Amino acid sequence: MIRETIVTTVSGDGVPHIAPMGATPIEGGWLLQPFRPSTTLDNFLKTRCGVVNFTDDARVFAGCVTKRKTDWPTVKADLVDSVRLETALAHHEVRVERVEEDGQRPKLHCAIVHRANNKAFPGLNRAVAAVLEGAVLVSRLHMLSREKIDQEFGYLQIAIDKTAGPHETEAWSWLTDAVLAHREQGAS
Ligand SMILES: Cc1cc2nc3c(=O)[nH]c(=O)nc-3n(C[C@H](O)[C@H](O)[C@H](O)COP(=O)(O)O)c2cc1C
């Protein structure tokens, strides 16, 4: 199983970094697999800690993937020397226990050292899920055909039209703009 989360880390100089990241539940913690090269990986290897944030704000996923907005507000974590997403519904503060080296995608075995519930989960929403799927597609634009993107975005648009609120509508517009920009650059 994979949960789609927002991982927050800090650099050696304390500069916060925010990245959408799949997290696999493991005994006592989370398995994170950041690709090389990535700021998230560098920060984890340097500081050995970070935060796995659970949010229903689709804009954070779409904003980071499209680079339209990456500086989402963070606040100091409760226990580890890092930051968490200010709007996280819940968060787990983690320490890296073990690193399984891999040239492309090392496995970070992280132990949860603190858990917090910050806000009530407001319930499932199809448009949030559609934005999440759209964000994954945008992160793979260079690998996917125009037909595949049109087909998938066309289907996801139904959930957006029927169930989106203002946040999901804005997040979706960032994703569709990214598809157009990619095409204007002359790619498929
Ligand atoms: C839903 C979702 C899940 C993602 N999961 C991962 C992941 O598990 N590992 C990874 O390296 N990137 C993942 N990405 C892409 C990263 O968020 C993106 O590449 C990010 O820029 C990480 O690099 P950075 O730490 O240098 O910012 C995911 C993106 C999305 C939208």
Side-chain angles (χ1 to χ4, degrees):
M1 180 189 209
I2 295 180
R3 299 258 173 217
E4 303 305 344
T5 72
I6 301 294
V7 170
T8 43
T9 52
V10 293
S11 69
D13 299 333
V15 178
H17 186 76
I18 297 170
M21 202 135 295
T24 303
I26 53 172
E27 185 72 32
W30 294 102
L31 178 70
L32 301 175
Q33 298 180 81
F35 281 102
R36 276 185 196 282
S38 70
T39 306
T40 302
L41 178 63
D42 292 347
N43 288 352
F44 266 123
L45 294 180
K46 179 94 186 163
T47 66
R48 308 300 286 192
C49 68
V51 180
V52 178
N53 299 269
F54 308 103
T55 180
D56 68 328
D57 190 342
R59 297 174 307 168
V60 185
F61 291 91
C64 288
V65 163
T66 60
K67 310 272 186 250
R68 280 287 282 268
K69 180 167 167 60
T70 56
D71 60 342
W72 298 94
T74 55
V75 292
K76 217 177 156 315
D78 299 324
L79 197 125
V80 297
D81 206 3
S82 190
V83 295
R84 71 162 172 92
L85 206 58
E86 189 177 43
T87 57
L89 299 173
H91 72 275
H92 289 174
E93 301 185 11
V94 299
R95 282 198 205 283
V96 179
E97 295 270 285
R98 186 161 65 89
V99 179
E100 254 181 87
E101 275 306 339
D102 183 89
Q104 206 180 17
R105 211 176 173 193
K107 288 185 164 69
L108 306 181
H109 294 254
C110 299
I112 300 166
V113 294
H114 177 70
R115 300 162 195 259
N117 290 320
N118 310 307
K119 285 182 202 152
F121 172 58
L124 298 172
N125 173 250
R126 289 176 61 201
V128 171
V131 169
L132 204 59
E133 289 303 317
V136 172
L137 290 168
V138 164
S139 73
R140 295 180 187 159
L141 278 178
H142 56 288
M143 294 188 254
L144 299 170
S145 69
R146 176 185 277 260
E147 293 70 34
K148 172 85 175 162
I149 293 289
D150 286 345
Q151 189 191 357
E152 301 270 327
F153 266 75
Y155 179 70
L156 295 170
Q157 184 76 52
I158 300 168
I160 298 293
D161 291 343
K162 288 187 173 163
T163 71
H167 288 181
E168 294 75 28
T169 302
E170 186 173 28
W172 187 250
S173 74
W174 293 343
L175 296 175
T176 52
D177 283 356
V179 172
L180 291 178
H182 177 74
R183 287 180 180 171
E184 277 163 16
Q185 284 162 14
S188 67

